[in-house]
Structure formats: structure tokens, C-alpha cells
Amino acid sequence: MQGIAQFMETWNEWGAHAWYEIWMGEIAKIKQKFATIIGADPDEVAIAPNVSTALSSIASAIDYSQRNNVVLADMDFPTLAYQWLVKKRLGVECRFVESADRVYVPPELFESVVDDRTALVATSRVFFTSGYIQDIRKIADIAHKNGSYILVDDYQGTGQIPLNVDAMDIDFLVTGTLKWLMGGPGLALVYIREGLIPQLHPTITGWFGHRDQLQFKTREFEFRADAARVEMGTPAVPAVYAANGGLDIVQEISVEQICERTRYLTNDLIAQAREHGWTVRAPVEPEQRSSIVMVQIEHPEEVVKALVDRNIITDSRPGLLRISPYFYNTIEENAIVIDAIAEILASRK
Ligand SMILES: Cc1ncc(COP(=O)(O)O)c(C=O)c1O
């Protein structure tokens, strides 16, 4: 909120000149903060309006002539697979590792699908319908052993679960500021490993990806030397301001402490839900759980609406009610949510 007000003030005071004097600085700040959170260098970071746009650019930069398959998990968020499903007519094959229980995929399954024709393994760190945290380092090792790259969709992980791109040996990472970075919609953040940047030549681009952006050369195109070569057009500056505020809070508390706190709340919620006899789609091991608690119920969207009437915000996915406590929630609030759900379910009988 404060960030958006600050944006309005700069716009009012500086007009279009705010671009050079101030707004570019805000963009540099968000890259710096994100780089610190994931253990990267700011030159390895780019911004995009959303994850889908960022993925389209990266997907357009990969050479599929020698390696024509891309490996994904059938529990990944659909926008990830869409990038390569639409490339079928270019000869790209999507291979899916399948979850038997809709909670997780054993990392070893990737081994059976990845081969020397795999261009990329693209998967999430945290599954959006079970909260399961994948062992990215294991999957990265499988990808690299076969000469493939690994791309991680970390939309459901960044901010709530610690991550270091070097330790996990990640080549590409995409995430958004809407969820656990508390920055709202309109901004995605991209990491590209330094050594890969010079060989990436996306076929969709824009003037923000040009080396000499402000020279306005109409007849020539040269990519920027850093990860921002995947950027396209004018970014949504208000979203950058909002996200800078969100990332400040995350950095002040630290992702490690957020993780500790949310794990405590999540484990309590799961235990309480199970006491009521509800089926919870949750990983068995507490260290594989994130702050996404999925309760299997009929017509979850109706329960979400009834909870809004009680000032409780949850969400639904087909057949599932999603409860996502964050660090500012409490054990007492967990009990209030569980009691409210029990009452709503009882009133439907
Ligand atoms: C895992 C994951 N990836 C991506 C997205 C969103 O993608 P986009 O920024 O393109 O809307 C979501 C949205 O909830 C998500 O859960």
C-alpha cells in the first residue's frame, strides 16, 4: 500500500522524468533484493509481467533440433506445460512424470523419463495442489547427468521456503510476487545462470532486451549482456513498488524464520483437520510440507464463499479447499478456521 502511494507521489512530482531518475532505480532494487533471497547476482535476474511471459521467452530461446523433449510433472501448474505443448508442431515432445497419489512424485521417476534427447526438465519446487516440496537438487542432478537444463517454477516457494540457486544447481528459475513475496500481481522474477546468458537468443523480445535500449536503433538488434535480455516492453512500475515493499518484509523477517513459523502453523492445521476426520492431501514427512493445506471436500468453492462471510480467506481448486497460513497467522486463528469449516460442513448435511 505504502509503495503504491509512493509511486503515485513520484508520478505526480516528476511526471515522465521519473523513469530515469527514480523508477529505473526501483527496478534495480527489486532485482537486487530477489538476487539476495535466492543467492544469485543481480545481473542474473530479469523481470516480466507474469510467469507465462517469462517462460515463453525462455522456451523460445532453447534449441530443440538435437534435443526435442521436455520433461515435466503432471502436478505442475498448467502454464508451465503449455509453453511446450504449443510447440508440438515444431516437433517438441512433452513427457510427464505421473503422481500416483496426487501428493508427490518420487524424484527417481524423473530418471526413467529424462534421456539424451531431453532439452529441459521444467518442474515446480512446491506443488500447488499438495504443498509438497520437491528435492530440486536431486532432479537437477538427473537433468545435468543427461546433458539437459533444469528450469524451476518457484511461484509457490520463493519467500516461504529457503532456496539457493547455486546449491540446488538451478539453470533457470521463474517466480511471481503475488503469493509468498507479498508483492501483489503484475510482476514475475526470473533467474538465469550467468554462464547460460550469452547463448540465449529468444525469438520473442522487445526494446527492454536490447543492449542499447535508449539508442532506438530500428534496423539492428543486439541482446543485452545480462539476464534482462529476456525482458520485453515497459514494465508495470506500480507492481514493482508494491513488490519492493513485500520483499522488504520478507527480508526483514528472513525466509528461514518464515519457514519455521509456517511449518508450525501448517502441522497444527493438518493435525486439527485430521481430528475432524477430513481427508488432507499432505506430504507424509513434515519437512516436505509447505504452507499449502489441501482438504478434500465436495463443492469447496461454496465453503470458500461461506468463509469469506466470516472474514476468513481461503481458496479452492477442483475438489479441494486450500488453507494457507502465513507467518502473521496464529494457532488461535487455525482453531477459528477449523471450527468455521466444521460448522459450514455440518450446516450442509
Ligand atoms: C506454480 C505456479 N506457477 C505460475 C503461476 C502463475 O503464472 P502467471 O504468472 O503466468 O499467471 C501460479 C499461479 O497460481 C502458480 O501457482
Side-chain angles (χ1 to χ4, degrees):
M1 281 303 221
Q2 235 176 341
I4 301 281
Q6 216 183 332
F7 163 73
M8 293 303 290
E9 272 168 37
T10 58
W11 194 10
N12 200 20
E13 193 172 325
W14 292 77
H17 206 64
W19 268 116
Y20 311 105
E21 296 293 332
I22 307 170
W23 293 346
M24 288 300 201
E26 286 296 311
I27 293 169
K29 268 191 224 164
I30 197 95
K31 289 182 180 177
Q32 173 67 61
K33 288 176 200 173
F34 176 60
T36 305
I37 286 178
I38 65 167
D41 190 275
D43 282 351
E44 295 174 305
V45 172
I47 59 168
N50 49 53
V51 160
S52 305
T53 311
L55 287 171
S56 310
S57 170
I58 294 169
S60 82
I62 293 171
D63 175 9
Y64 303 99
S65 59
Q66 304 302 312
R67 292 173 170 265
N68 74 331
N69 75 65
V70 174
V71 173
L72 307 114
D74 69 350
M75 289 197 58
D76 287 322
F77 192 75
T79 211
L80 190 62
Y82 295 166
Q83 310 308 321
W84 290 282
L85 286 172
V86 294
K87 289 188 167 35
K88 191 174 175 194
R89 67 189 164 81
L90 304 178
V92 175
E93 177 202 352
C94 287
R95 294 182 177 174
F96 291 92
V97 291
E98 288 175 17
S99 168
D101 62 1
R102 307 311 295 160
V103 173
Y104 87 117
V105 174
E108 303 74 43
L109 268 193
F110 284 89
E111 187 107 57
S112 60
V113 181
V114 177
D115 63 16
D116 61 2
R117 299 269 293 159
T118 303
L120 186 74
V121 176
T123 193
S124 340
R125 184 160 63 121
V126 173
F127 286 138
F128 78 111
T129 48
S130 70
Y132 177 79
I133 305 168
Q134 294 212 87
D135 185 340
I136 291 297
R137 179 61 206 234
K138 245 188 203 169
I139 301 168
D141 287 348
I142 294 167
H144 292 148
K145 201 172 70 184
N146 285 277
S148 156
Y149 296 126
I150 178 155
L151 179 149
V152 175
D153 175 355
D154 205 40
Y155 206 85
Q156 296 287 356
T158 325
Q160 68 146 329
I161 315 283
L163 169 139
N164 181 291
V165 283
D166 284 339
M168 292 186 188
D169 214 6
I170 293 170
D171 298 312
F172 304 94
L173 181 135
V174 289
T175 188
T177 55
L178 176 64
K179 308 249 166 190
W180 307 102
L181 292 173
M182 300 190 299
L187 188 67
L189 295 158
V190 184
Y191 160 81
I192 304 171
R193 184 202 288 274
E194 189 184 17
L196 292 179
I197 298 170
Q199 68 208 56
L200 275 191
H201 300 111
T203 57
I204 54 169
T205 190
W207 64 307
F208 275 69
H210 197 290
R211 189 189 61 189
D212 308 316
Q213 182 189 7
L214 299 177
Q215 302 290 319
F216 301 97
K217 296 175 179 169
T218 301
R219 287 171 171 269
E220 288 163 31
F221 188 89
E222 289 275 357
F223 280 109
R224 286 175 61 131
D226 58 11
R229 65 172 49 199
V230 299
E231 290 179 10
M232 297 192 198
T234 308
V237 180
V240 174
Y241 268 85
N244 263 321
L247 264 76
D248 280 345
I249 298 170
V250 169
Q251 280 189 312
E252 189 187 330
I253 302 170
S254 89
V255 181
E256 285 73 18
Q257 292 211 55
I258 289 176
C259 183
E260 202 177 305
R261 170 82 184 156
T262 50
R263 199 154 273 164
Y264 166 66
L265 293 170
T266 300
N267 289 335
D268 174 68
L269 258 184
I270 293 172
Q272 287 203 52
R274 286 189 171 146
E275 271 171 32
H276 279 269
W278 304 333
T279 304
V280 183
R281 199 185 270 184
V284 177
E285 303 297 336
E287 61 277 8
Q288 289 168 339
R289 292 176 187 163
S290 63
S291 207
I292 295 175
V293 178
M294 292 297 212
V295 184
Q296 246 167 270
I297 52 173
E298 279 176 22
H299 306 296
E301 56 296 334
E302 289 171 10
V303 178
V304 169
K305 271 196 200 139
L307 286 169
V308 168
D309 293 339
R310 297 165 189 241
N311 282 330
I312 299 170
I313 309 297
T314 57
D315 206 348
S316 68
R317 292 293 176 266
L320 296 163
L321 172 70
R322 180 168 77 187
I323 318 166
S324 286
Y326 212 20
F327 61 83
Y328 41 74
N329 291 119
T330 62
I331 287 283
E332 291 75 27
E333 285 171 333
N334 274 358
I336 292 170
V337 175
I338 294 287
D339 287 350
I341 297 169
E343 267 179 43
I344 295 163
L345 293 181
S347 71
R348 292 207 307 201
K349 280 184 184 153

